[in-house]
Amino acid sequence: MRRFLRPGHDPVRERLKRDLFQFNKTVEHGFPHQPSALGYSPFLRLMAIGTRSGAIKLYGAPGVEFMGLHEENNTVMQIHFIPDQCQLVTLLDDNSLHLWSLKQHGGASELREEHRFTLKGPPGSPPSATQVTAVLPHSSREVLYLGTESGTIFVVELPSFRVLEDRTITPEAVLQRVPEDNCSRRSCELVEALREHPKNPDQILIGYSRGLIVLWDLQNNKATHHFLGSQQLENLYWQRDGSKFISCHYDGSYTQWPVSSDNRQPEPLENTVPYGPFPCKAISKIYWQTTKNGLPYIIFQGGMPRASYGDRHSISVIHGSQQTAFDFTSRVIDFFIIFSSDPAAEFDDPSALVVLAEEELVVIDLKSAGWPAVHPPYLASLHCSAITCSHHVSNIPLKLWERIISAGSKQNIHYSTMPWPIDGGTNIAPDPPQRDLLLTGHEDGTVRFWDASGVCLHLLYKLSTVRVFLTDADPNDNMNTLGEDEWPPLRKVGTFDPYSDDPRLGIQKIYLCKYSGYLAVAGTAGQVLVMELNDEDAEHVVDHAEADLLQDQEGYRWKGHEKLKTRDGPVRFEAGFQPFVLVQCQPPAVVTSLALHSEWKLVAFGTSHGFGLFDHQQKRLVFVKCTLHPSDQLALEGPLSRVKSLKKSLRQSFRRIRRSRVSSRKRRGGGGNVSEVQEANAKFDQEALQEMELAPVQRKIEARSAEDSFTGFVRTLYFADTFLRDSSRHCPSLWAGTNGGTVYAFCLRVPPAERRMDEPVRAEQAKEIQLMHRAPVVGILVLDGRSTPLPEPLEVAHDLSKSPDMQGSHQLLVVSEEQFKVFTLPKVSSKLKLKLTALEGCRVRKVTVANFGSCKTDDYSENDLAVLTNLGDIQIISLPFLKLQIRYPCIRKEDVSGIASCVFTKYGQGFYLISPSEFERFSLSTKWLVEPRCIVDMPEVTSNNHVHNKSGTENAARKSSPGDCGEDERKSGRLMEHALLNDEKVLKEIQSTLEGGR
Amino acid sequence: EFRRFSLERSKPGKFEEFYGLLQHVHKIPNVDVLVGYTDIHGDLLPINNDDNYHKAVSTANPLLRIFIQRKEDADYSAFGTDTMTRKKNVLSNVLRPDNHKKKPHIVISMPQDFRPVSSIIDVDILPETHRRVRLYKYGTDKPLGFYIRDGSSVRVTPHGLEKVPGIFISRLVPGGLAQSTGLLAVNDEVLEVNGIEVSGKSLDQVTDMMIANSRNLIITVRPANQRNNVVRNSRTSGSSGQSTESSLPSSTPNILGSVLQGEEESDEEDIIIEDSGEPQQIPKAAPTSESIESLSQIELLHESTQNGFLPSSEMNLTHSAGSISMEYEVPEPGRKSLEEDGTIITL
């Protein structure tokens, strides 16, 4: 009989599995790792970011996201949108050019690579002859001008990338009319900048690295003007009317040049070193923006005094007497200004400054007084302090959601109220099915609350636990309090701050009860904080207790860090989650597990020494249990702190190495020695391989014993109302699992609500199970009489779950890293097991119960275990029979931090870190899928760009008048559909039609 | 029936004297008996000479449990590794030998005196170039004691000879189980672990598999030195061959057959301590095969235990024909107070 029940042989089950499970990596949240290039299309109102791993990401209105990956995985050096097209060109560091386009497919736009091209010189020419340094997509959309290291400018046709050799601009031709004494052949060595005349598409400005600037007439194929700059050129910018342009230079100066038909070799109008007179760093990019009131905005990158501020990453904005140097904590990759893109408009009228720094995106509102920052709806810097843990809560009740948002909005008052200026494309994804919160704990003692419901991971609220403790750093130490007469007028912007004052503040475990608003947070120095959501500011004393987990174990000395010092007296807390209880474990080792029961008002915590239970209602420690093996010296001395600090120092040194590499990797260093580098790499690989052969990696095969290190390490804690002692009476219980394969069960006596404050909570050890394979226990779960996992505390009280079946017998599921085991309760007998490691050689890293709904019928759903193994595979294992349902490769097994960071949701989705700053979102469910789905429409009137939104709305309003939307819409063609997409109502109509069609 | 008396631990005397003492205590002066005791691992081991008698007394902690059987009713299969845990109930074997209508075994050299530490199994089904070795970690204090590494081996494939990655034994720890068996050697290629092929698995995966199976590890290897392989041109025995280097209980081959099918349950039983503080093995719920079922209990002596008296609830032995059970308390001179979780004694 059993043979027939196996899932692999049951066609009905197989079909059901197809309806339930499906693996997709859906979207990347956060900030791209190692961004290397920035592009912006004023026409599409889309921004593009390229990375050093060859990824290209497009962002528009919230929810509008596209991603592409260059096969070569090479660094993206430059991104240029083709004017008035849904196309862009990327330049990689291998000198290849790629044409990408946004095309509609199946009702949504997709980013696809169309062509690739590498410029080839005549045979025998040096590689520098074709090394592209500047790219200019011409407004005619037909050609690209490619400036090279040799000074030659090649012209290629689009989209075929065919080189138009007769139109090549050679240095010889440029120099024809330049006086001999001013220029030599070397003046035209490297094309630094190419700029098209804003009014006359037949003229382009060519800037050469040595300072020579030439205005080139494309029609007559000759230089009309020569501008003889003396300084090394960095960049060029045309003024809107084309009468002047600005050049910026290596010495920190910028120069204005007049362009008039009578003077063919004009002198500069103005030459300024904004942060002089002492030597300054280069100004690498400059904007000159005109306004109605006549005062221009001059915005430039760099130019700081070399000696005292040479290490700053700054962008300065000068507007009349106002001047601010925005100071970024990481290197500035590139920036752009959002200004009026209407060619008919007389002035630029800049509205926002968008800066891509290496670790974050910063947008400054130039319209509002004081130039406040704009809160970005996406591209959040998840890693503004390193992420130390994460916790996901599905389906947040609306009330709590609103309270968190309101607490967060009070923190964001210094942000600009300007609507997000990058608003291209239309998000057509269905509304997120539920409100989900992702909580991340950080090294600096903060917890960030992210709206993880949809495609845009958005920061709702930030909680800091630092105020409870006395730390060396003065919280009032504000970097922005610079005096009036400070020069340069630096202003710190952005949130990226990787340097933690005290590593002990780091958050290790988070548990939020979504029904009661209780939050428990535990950290690196054994601190456990219980908090409550308060809508008002408040000042109160945090109750403080100590839990000595070693109890009577004598003669041990903790060599790790000290516990955190607490603040005496009342502490002022802002609205939001406010701590009211602090428990500090002694020794102050890292808290390794945490559980909160909001109904019983109990919090349980565990470290490498043992675990304890605290009654946060009566503010009384109920009990502690030492799980330490007496021979485990390592745990006692606190090596975790040492491991941690080692990790940290490693990370810092890596950061240093990376920095120095970045700075040494000069833009022009690319071309000639690529093959050399590759050769050297190959040689190195060969050597490494040989070395490996000589001294092979060995693995010791030894049975685990009770004396192994860290056997007492508490890995998991779990509250359950179940039958612990006898089958007639159920009672609250606390379960704990250790690294050494031991499970402890404590029977709890919680007084009834009316006497809750009068009688103490009592606990008594009822069971201790030793798994003979001694593998770490990573999950404990009780299944009720219907084999359904017990509901969360207060879930039943809020009518959100069926009450558990207390009639049938309960079962206990213990998940170790190696096995899944089901035991009966109250008498513990083993019932079922799945020996994962013995069969497959993989180990369980993360496990969660997830509910899977069928995509075919609404009324079927089941609970299964979602498991992530150390090999990066995700397995779904059925409950309660522990049968493997399906397996998907998800994370590379070498990506240890990715595997460690993985968090599952209750509905079969998950997140893991693909870099310190990015979460990859994946889905195991056919039903719950959050992925970007958006349309970028080509505005119909290309000559009148900025009005596309308005005309779209008008069209929509006309068309969506009641009565004629149904039939007409279906008949209307593609174009109409695009025009209508700006109207939400019409959008929904179209969507339903599309869905109906399928 | 059982008796309880004390012995001087420091001066246990000779086996002959002890044998006489037993006969005297039980008032069975002229009956030939087999004497056995349970060691710390729960194995029923015989006492039949001075050496194992002394060993038995020295392992008593502090209780030494002795089983006495009439020689003509004796069931030799009761002895051996895991006897207490694997058999349904050792006591039933001992106390009711008439349940087992087995023919007396042909005793060649009292193999029951020894505990198996390793064996070569499935000789009849494996190619001659391969060897399947079982290591019994359970029941020995010796470390498994070997290391594995990545390497490459040559396979015959449809496309001719091909170099493929493989896992090899890289080192044997002196004095470890692997070395002492003589069945594994450096550079032997590991082909399977407990019936699962290792090809395509990483070194770390194979390591995890071996450690997960460490209590009952069965590795199939292709020995580097093929000269020592037994040449088998006749298969007269009809049953699976057994190693000559070590002995093993007669039941082993059957159990192994099921091991390789992944149905085996005997390797480990978790221990539960209920609130009374007595650890016992966790039984299997709703047993399907009662023969494997273990109902025996293990008592763990805690620091709190003052002496070795058993709780009365466990002493429900009934007097049965031919079998007498007794226990002795061996006073321990200068006995240190017991530390931590103590030692496991099997009833």
Side-chain angles (χ1 to χ4, degrees):
Chain A
M1 267 315 275
R2 278 179 65 187
R3 207 151 32 97
F4 299 110
L5 292 176
R6 286 210 177 137
H9 301 282
D10 179 2
V12 178
R13 180 66 198 164
E14 286 302 302
R15 215 173 308 131
L16 183 58
K17 272 159 67 175
R18 278 197 295 277
D19 294 346
L20 291 171
F21 314 123
Q22 168 196 328
F23 180 72
N24 282 300
K25 291 188 181 177
T26 54
V27 61
E28 289 170 9
H29 295 304
F31 186 78
H33 187 49
Q34 297 187 321
S36 55
L38 176 70
Y40 177 68
S41 166
F43 168 71
L44 299 172
R45 301 181 78 81
L46 288 181
M47 168 177 69
I49 295 176
T51 74
R52 286 170 65 176
S53 53
I56 170 161
K57 294 179 166 196
L58 267 58
Y59 297 89
V64 176
E65 291 186 12
F66 300 95
M67 196 196 144
L69 188 64
H70 293 91
E71 258 169 47
E72 293 87 344
N73 284 354
N74 277 1
T75 299
V76 180
M77 303 298 288
Q78 296 183 27
I79 302 173
H80 300 274
F81 280 89
I82 311 291
D84 304 345
Q85 296 284 304
C86 285
Q87 285 184 318
L88 61 150
V89 171
T90 55
L91 171 68
L92 304 194
D93 69 348
D94 64 353
N95 204 32
S96 62
L97 287 156
H98 302 253
L99 180 69
W100 296 80
S101 60
L102 284 164
K103 291 239 166 110
Q104 307 243 344
H105 182 81
S109 297
E110 282 177 6
L111 182 65
R112 288 215 202 114
E113 189 179 343
E114 302 261 296
H115 289 286
R116 65 187 65 189
F117 167 73
T118 305
L119 195 60
K120 284 192 184 64
S125 60
S128 69
T130 51
Q131 179 70 35
V132 177
T133 53
V135 179
L136 171 66
H138 194 255
S139 59
S140 65
R141 301 164 228 159
E142 282 158 6
V143 289
L144 273 186
Y145 292 91
L146 304 174
T148 62
E149 222 166 83
S150 64
T152 310
I153 296 158
F154 294 89
V155 186
V156 294
E157 199 178 54
L158 280 177
S160 64
F161 279 128
R162 192 168 62 87
V163 180
L164 304 173
E165 285 184 17
D166 54 324
R167 290 169 71 176
T168 302
I169 304 165
T170 60
E172 289 73 22
V174 169
L175 287 172
Q176 268 175 13
R177 293 177 54 185
V178 182
E180 279 296 320
D181 54 325
N182 283 340
C183 285
S184 66
R185 169 69 186 80
R186 296 191 64 197
S187 313
C188 300
E189 224 160 40
L190 189 148
V191 180
E192 197 68 63
L194 286 173
R195 295 282 179 263
E196 185 181 326
H197 192 285
K199 299 287 179 196
N200 180 1
D202 289 334
Q203 287 190 324
I204 60 168
L205 199 58
I206 307 167
Y208 294 95
S209 158
R210 295 221 163 204
L212 175 69
I213 304 161
V214 172
L215 188 61
W216 186 262
D217 188 330
L218 296 170
Q219 285 294 2
N220 305 316
N221 234 352
K222 61 170 192 188
T224 56
H225 293 67
H226 290 87
F227 307 89
L228 306 169
S230 54
Q231 281 296 331
Q232 199 174 319
L233 183 76
E234 288 284 325
N235 221 323
L236 294 171
Y237 189 78
W238 275 111
Q239 285 190 21
R240 194 177 182 92
D241 58 3
S243 66
K244 280 177 251 170
F245 69 89
I246 316 281
S247 62
C248 57
H249 303 277
Y250 183 75
D251 67 342
S253 66
Y254 64 84
T255 309
Q256 261 199 89
W257 304 85
V259 181
S260 60
S261 49
D262 43 293
N263 191 348
R264 299 284 164 185
Q265 202 171 306
E267 289 299 307
L269 282 178
E270 184 198 1
N271 187 12
T272 317
V273 184
Y275 293 109
F278 298 111
C280 290
K281 299 214 37 163
I283 294 182
S284 48
K285 187 170 180 179
I286 190 161
Y287 277 81
W288 184 288
Q289 302 267 282
T290 54
T291 60
K292 215 173 270 175
N293 65 17
L295 286 173
Y297 277 89
I298 304 161
I299 300 167
F300 58 89
Q301 176 187 351
M304 282 283 134
R306 191 172 283 277
S308 34
Y309 297 96
D311 57 341
R312 299 301 177 102
H313 315 288
S314 72
I315 288 181
S316 303
V317 179
I318 303 171
H319 178 60
S321 59
Q322 297 178 61
Q323 178 166 359
T324 302
F326 294 103
D327 185 12
F328 298 88
T329 52
S330 56
R331 203 164 58 90
V332 172
I333 304 295
D334 201 354
F335 71 102
F336 63 84
I337 310 290
I338 297 176
F339 55 88
S340 167
S341 58
D342 178 5
E346 202 176 334
F347 302 104
D348 290 314
D349 230 356
S351 56
L353 161 68
V354 180
V355 183
L356 177 69
E358 191 156 42
E359 308 288 358
E360 63 187 329
L361 181 81
V362 178
V363 177
I364 307 285
D365 173 5
L366 297 175
K367 290 262 186 197
S368 310
W371 298 333
V374 186
H375 193 53
Y378 44 67
L379 285 166
S381 273
L382 296 170
H383 61 320
C384 40
S385 168
I387 293 180
T388 42
C389 65
S390 33
H391 175 72
H392 185 274
V393 192
S394 302
N395 219 350
I396 304 284
L398 184 62
K399 185 74 196 143
L400 179 69
W401 187 257
E402 283 170 348
R403 291 177 73 192
I404 291 173
I405 287 176
S406 115
S409 64
K410 285 173 194 155
Q411 299 179 322
N412 289 340
I413 41 174
H414 58 280
Y415 279 114
S416 161
T417 52
M418 173 194 235
W420 184 241
I422 305 163
D423 55 2
T426 314
N427 180 12
I428 56 165
D431 279 342
Q434 55 190 24
R435 287 171 297 271
D436 286 359
L437 263 186
L438 181 67
L439 280 66
T440 51
H442 297 262
E443 204 178 26
D444 63 354
T446 58
V447 178
R448 275 155 225 256
F449 290 62
W450 305 92
D451 174 0
S453 326
V455 169
C456 291
L457 192 74
H458 180 68
L459 182 67
L460 295 177
Y461 164 70
K462 182 178 125 181
L463 162 75
S464 176
T465 62
V466 181
R467 299 191 77 83
V468 182
F469 305 103
L470 275 175
T471 53
D472 299 335
D474 182 4
N476 296 322
D477 177 22
N478 198 335
M479 304 290 270
N480 292 338
T481 53
L482 286 173
E484 281 287 304
D485 49 349
E486 283 292 334
W487 188 259
L490 287 167
R491 190 173 116 200
K492 205 131 199 138
V493 283
T495 54
F496 179 72
D497 176 21
Y499 306 106
S500 167
D501 300 325
D502 190 339
R504 294 176 299 169
L505 291 168
I507 305 294
Q508 297 293 335
K509 295 283 160 190
I510 304 171
Y511 192 102
L512 172 69
C513 171
K514 62 184 178 186
Y515 304 110
S516 61
Y518 281 118
L519 172 71
V521 163
T524 305
Q527 73 271 34
V528 179
L529 283 160
V530 187
M531 315 193 199
E532 211 172 2
L533 189 54
N534 186 348
D535 299 323
E536 301 295 326
D537 287 19
E539 189 164 344
H540 60 252
V541 178
V542 177
D543 277 283
H544 177 221
E546 200 159 281
D548 180 11
L549 293 172
L550 286 182
Q551 288 169 294
D552 36 359
Q553 306 255 10
E554 288 299 321
Y556 294 126
R557 203 154 60 85
W558 168 254
K559 292 182 188 164
H561 49 231
E562 283 174 33
K563 69 170 188 177
L564 285 159
K565 286 196 189 69
T566 53
R567 249 174 231 280
D568 298 324
V571 185
R572 175 136 207 101
F573 296 102
E574 57 180 21
F577 287 92
Q578 299 174 346
F580 62 96
V581 157
L582 166 67
V583 184
Q584 287 186 291
C585 298
Q586 198 54 260
V590 174
V591 176
T592 55
S593 55
L594 181 71
L596 176 78
H597 200 292
S598 41
E599 201 167 351
W600 303 334
K601 308 259 193 291
L602 297 172
V603 61
F605 46 88
T607 71
S608 47
H609 303 99
F611 58 98
L613 180 69
F614 191 85
D615 174 356
H616 65 75
Q617 177 94 348
Q618 292 186 24
K619 305 197 169 67
R620 188 185 138 263
L621 189 66
V622 180
F623 77 91
V624 292
K625 164 88 183 173
C626 180
T627 54
L628 203 62
H629 195 279
S631 67
D632 192 352
Q633 275 298 320
L634 272 178
L636 285 163
E637 293 177 354
L640 285 182
S641 59
R642 264 178 284 167
V643 171
K644 175 90 184 162
S645 63
L646 179 69
K647 198 180 109 190
K648 201 183 163 194
S649 66
L650 273 177
R651 194 171 57 213
Q652 275 163 358
S653 58
F654 273 125
R655 196 174 279 156
R656 270 197 295 277
I657 291 169
R658 205 178 64 195
R659 282 241 173 88
S660 61
R661 248 192 228 146
V662 170
S663 54
S664 68
R665 183 198 273 220
K666 267 286 180 191
R667 197 170 62 183
R668 37 211 85 157
N673 48 17
V674 166
S675 58
E676 276 170 47
V677 169
Q678 277 171 351
E679 216 166 89
N681 275 348
K683 204 171 152 201
F684 178 79
D685 286 350
Q686 196 75 34
E687 276 166 16
L689 210 67
Q690 273 171 357
E691 209 165 289
M692 240 161 61
E693 302 264 294
L694 288 174
V697 184
Q698 298 193 107
R699 292 282 182 272
K700 190 179 187 181
I701 308 297
E702 203 47 77
R704 264 186 293 270
S705 79
E707 280 96 54
D708 282 350
S709 286
F710 298 118
T711 50
F713 196 117
V714 179
R715 290 289 292 266
T716 182
L717 288 163
Y718 177 66
F719 285 108
D721 186 1
T722 187
F723 300 92
L724 192 54
R725 283 226 164 100
D726 58 69
S727 47
S728 55
R729 221 156 25 89
H730 59 92
C731 67
S733 63
L734 172 67
W735 298 77
T738 71
N739 229 23
T742 312
V743 175
Y744 301 93
F746 279 74
C747 188
L748 308 179
R749 215 187 59 81
V750 183
E754 62 274 15
R755 294 196 302 278
R756 184 63 181 79
M757 285 307 285
D758 309 329
E759 294 173 22
V761 176
R762 293 187 196 284
E764 201 180 341
Q765 181 165 346
K767 286 187 201 309
E768 180 180 331
I769 301 169
Q770 175 62 55
L771 302 175
M772 287 317 277
H773 63 288
R774 296 194 183 279
V777 177
V778 292
I780 298 173
L781 187 68
V782 172
L783 306 175
D784 73 2
R786 290 182 294 258
S787 294
T788 306
L790 292 185
E792 281 175 60
L794 292 174
E795 202 171 330
V796 175
H798 284 70
D799 285 333
L800 288 158
S801 170
K802 271 196 284 189
S803 46
D805 182 353
M806 289 300 191
Q807 305 306 315
S809 57
H810 283 194
Q811 296 171 64
L812 170 71
L813 170 68
V814 177
V815 183
S816 79
E817 282 192 357
E818 296 185 353
Q819 299 187 4
F820 299 78
K821 283 193 150 179
V822 174
F823 300 95
T824 57
L825 284 177
K827 173 148 180 53
V828 176
S829 342
S830 69
K831 200 172 168 190
L832 267 177
K833 69 176 156 189
L834 173 66
K835 295 168 86 176
L836 191 69
T837 308
L839 291 171
E840 297 181 28
C842 58
R843 304 165 70 86
V844 178
R845 281 283 176 268
K846 304 273 167 173
V847 61
T848 312
V849 178
N851 186 276
F852 290 93
S854 165
C855 59
K856 293 273 167 66
T857 52
D858 273 345
D859 52 352
Y860 183 80
S861 75
E862 63 176 47
N863 289 307
D864 296 281
L865 290 174
V867 177
L868 176 74
T869 72
N870 64 333
L871 304 179
D873 286 349
I874 287 179
Q875 307 196 352
I876 296 174
I877 290 165
S878 71
L879 280 177
F881 297 112
L882 302 182
K883 296 282 181 210
L884 175 66
Q885 300 297 303
I886 210 149
R887 181 202 330 247
Y888 306 105
C890 178
I891 311 176
R892 282 180 312 115
K893 71 175 176 211
E894 296 81 15
D895 184 4
V896 180
S897 63
I899 292 172
S901 66
C902 178
V903 51
F904 288 109
T905 78
K906 290 234 153 29
Y907 295 93
Q909 296 192 48
F911 302 85
Y912 67 92
L913 288 173
I914 48 176
S915 74
S917 56
E918 286 166 290
F919 273 117
E920 172 81 56
R921 187 187 194 113
F922 62 86
S923 176
L924 302 167
S925 161
T926 51
K927 205 170 175 182
W928 306 101
L929 203 65
V930 173
E931 58 184 344
R933 194 173 157 77
C934 36
I935 285 187
V936 172
D937 40 349
M938 276 276 285
E940 289 158 65
V941 197
T942 48
S943 61
N944 203 5
N945 300 332
H946 78 295
V947 287
H948 78 273
N949 263 337
K950 211 164 67 186
S951 67
T953 321
E954 276 165 13
N955 269 344
R958 207 167 53 233
K959 270 291 161 191
S960 66
S961 56
D964 63 283
C965 29
E967 277 301 303
D968 277 14
E969 221 112 287
R970 234 163 283 149
K971 279 186 249 161
S972 62
R974 271 255 134 140
L975 268 173
M976 189 55 75
E977 195 175 298
H978 302 168
L980 295 177
L981 284 173
N982 291 303
D983 189 271
E984 208 176 13
K985 194 171 150 204
V986 179
L987 194 71
K988 278 182 183 149
E989 286 286 345
I990 293 172
Q991 218 176 304
S992 66
T993 322
L994 285 172
E995 272 161 14
R998 254 178 264 143
Chain B
E1 67 174 74
F2 58 92
R3 301 278 190 278
R4 188 171 202 136
F5 61 85
S6 59
L7 274 179
E8 187 76 23
R9 182 185 279 252
S10 52
K11 282 179 281 178
K14 293 207 180 304
F15 172 69
E16 290 300 323
E17 296 165 21
F18 179 68
Y19 191 76
L21 179 66
L22 288 178
Q23 287 179 321
H24 172 74
V25 169
H26 286 277
K27 302 190 178 67
I28 42 168
N30 294 316
V31 183
D32 279 344
V33 292
L34 268 184
V35 185
Y37 76 104
T38 57
D39 79 341
I40 52 165
H41 304 291
D43 297 339
L44 184 60
L45 298 177
I47 300 180
N48 50 17
N49 57 39
D50 287 352
D51 285 343
N52 55 23
Y53 168 56
H54 288 158
K55 171 82 178 158
V57 172
S58 65
T59 58
N61 198 4
L63 222 54
L64 175 65
R65 258 167 244 158
I66 302 283
F67 294 91
I68 299 174
Q69 281 178 289
R70 240 203 297 262
K71 219 164 205 169
E72 53 264 37
D73 302 332
D75 176 10
Y76 287 95
S77 67
F79 292 104
T81 303
D82 292 355
T83 42
M84 301 307 280
T85 54
R86 188 178 300 133
K87 289 289 168 290
K88 184 186 173 195
N89 191 337
V90 173
L91 284 179
S92 72
N93 289 341
V94 175
L95 299 176
R96 290 186 298 279
D98 50 357
N99 288 349
H100 296 258
K101 294 290 182 196
K102 286 182 192 162
K103 284 180 199 159
H105 287 264
I106 303 155
V107 180
I108 301 166
S109 65
M110 289 287 283
Q112 292 79 13
D113 288 10
F114 307 101
R115 181 185 301 118
V117 290
S118 66
S119 53
I120 298 186
I121 57 169
D122 294 340
V123 182
D124 50 346
I125 54 170
L126 284 176
E128 288 176 11
T129 53
H130 295 183
R131 180 189 293 163
R132 187 167 287 165
V133 178
R134 179 175 183 181
L135 298 174
Y136 301 78
K137 171 73 180 96
Y138 192 57
T140 171
D141 299 331
K142 276 187 180 172
L144 280 170
F146 66 100
Y147 289 74
I148 56 172
R149 64 168 169 88
D150 279 319
S152 60
S153 75
V154 177
R155 289 274 156 74
V156 186
T157 65
H159 317 291
L161 288 178
E162 228 172 65
K163 218 175 165 188
V164 292
I167 303 286
F168 294 84
I169 294 175
S170 60
R171 189 153 86 86
L172 299 178
V173 177
L177 194 56
Q179 192 213 37
S180 66
T181 65
L183 299 178
L184 299 172
V186 172
N187 292 333
D188 286 1
E189 185 184 358
V190 178
L191 302 171
E192 286 176 8
V193 175
N194 287 52
I196 292 160
E197 276 193 50
V198 304
S199 75
K201 292 199 159 58
S202 71
L203 185 65
D204 287 328
Q205 269 176 287
V206 177
T207 306
D208 281 341
M209 285 168 69
M210 286 188 173
I211 292 173
N213 286 304
S214 59
R215 284 168 175 272
N216 179 25
L217 182 59
I218 300 163
I219 358 181
T220 309
V221 293
R222 193 204 331 254
N225 184 352
Q226 290 285 342
R227 266 177 298 179
N228 289 349
N229 270 7
V230 188
V231 180
R232 288 167 276 141
N233 30 26
S234 63
R235 289 180 182 166
T236 46
S237 69
S239 68
S240 50
Q242 293 185 4
S243 153
T244 48
E245 282 101 330
S246 63
S247 57
L248 73 171
S250 54
S251 58
T252 309
N254 302 333
I255 287 164
L256 282 169
S258 59
V259 166
L260 297 174
Q261 291 155 26
E263 300 279 330
E264 155 277 336
E265 295 287 340
S266 64
D267 58 338
E268 56 189 48
E269 287 304 333
D270 304 327
I271 293 172
I272 172 91
I273 305 173
E274 297 285 348
D275 28 19
S276 57
E278 289 155 12
Q280 35 183 289
Q281 291 201 331
I282 296 178
K284 224 177 113 65
T288 47
S289 55
E290 292 198 24
S291 60
I292 305 174
E293 187 61 11
S294 164
L295 295 176
S296 60
Q297 298 185 316
I298 295 178
E299 185 203 4
L300 201 72
L301 290 178
H302 274 283
E303 286 156 275
S304 58
T305 313
Q306 295 301 308
N307 53 40
F309 283 103
L310 284 170
S312 58
S313 63
E314 293 188 8
M315 295 308 298
N316 51 2
L317 304 183
T318 49
H319 186 94
S320 168
S323 294
I324 302 151
S325 168
M326 309 193 311
E327 53 182 35
Y328 299 87
E329 188 178 349
V330 185
E332 202 176 356
R335 181 167 71 111
K336 286 177 288 177
S337 66
L338 282 167
E339 286 183 352
E340 20 147 343
D341 54 341
T343 319
I344 296 167
I345 289 183
T346 309
L347 174 74

